[in-house]
Amino acid sequence: MPARLSPDDVEFVALRAQGPGGQNVNKVSSAVQLRFDVAASALPDWLKDRLLAMADRRLNQDGVIVIKAQTERSQERNKTEALARLQALVDAASHVPAVRRATQPTRASKRRRLEAKGQRSDLKALRRKV
């Protein structure tokens, strides 16, 4: 069950986008920087711990996730994209992998393995000098 983000926890800053775009890129602040303080958010504590433990370059030393979106020409679409990236990051942190339990090989699988080893041994024995 993925956690939903609260709009109150997210802070947006408008920036000038980088890259080509002619006059438009110099005039319009269409890029968006999203800042999300993990410790001050309304997420459950276990999810905060998992987010802070992630080795992600978007997470700084203060526990703030910084995402910059600048691929779209519209500031509103860049905000939507930044929120989607943040939600994907939170969803990835909320996924807890299943615990692997070690099992014993069955008697039949042991028998098949030994038979295969024997066949391979016989094949290699035929290659040797008599």
Side-chain angles (χ1 to χ4, degrees):
M1 163 177 101
R4 301 273 22 124
L5 295 170
S6 171
D8 301 332
D9 296 338
V10 181
E11 176 186 333
F12 290 103
V13 178
L15 305 168
R16 296 265 169 96
Q18 297 172 329
Q23 291 177 337
N24 192 57
V25 80
N26 297 327
K27 293 189 303 186
V28 182
S29 298
S30 61
V32 170
Q33 185 183 55
L34 177 143
R35 297 180 66 80
F36 179 72
D37 190 358
V38 177
S41 68
L43 295 174
D45 289 335
W46 65 270
L47 186 53
K48 288 180 189 179
D49 293 339
R50 287 181 61 91
L51 275 171
L52 291 172
M54 285 176 45
D56 197 307
R57 63 182 176 84
R58 295 172 287 189
L59 181 69
N60 63 19
Q61 291 92 0
D62 302 328
V64 177
I65 296 174
V66 179
I67 297 176
K68 184 177 180 184
Q70 61 181 6
T71 57
E72 303 292 334
R73 289 177 60 116
S74 162
Q75 191 179 93
E76 200 56 43
R77 286 197 304 239
N78 278 330
K79 278 185 182 181
T80 306
E81 183 188 348
L83 276 172
R85 283 196 233 161
L86 178 62
Q87 185 64 53
L89 190 68
V90 171
D91 291 346
S94 66
H95 174 71
V96 180
V99 177
R100 184 189 181 282
R101 289 176 182 81
T103 58
Q104 296 294 321
T106 62
R107 185 178 297 156
S109 69
K110 287 181 192 175
R111 184 182 48 77
R112 284 192 300 268
R113 182 179 61 84
L114 292 175
E115 284 176 1
K117 280 171 67 87
Q119 288 173 355
R120 194 77 188 150
S121 173
D122 294 342
L123 179 69
K124 289 186 175 188
L126 289 174
R127 295 180 191 156
R128 289 191 214 121
K129 290 183 180 176
V130 179

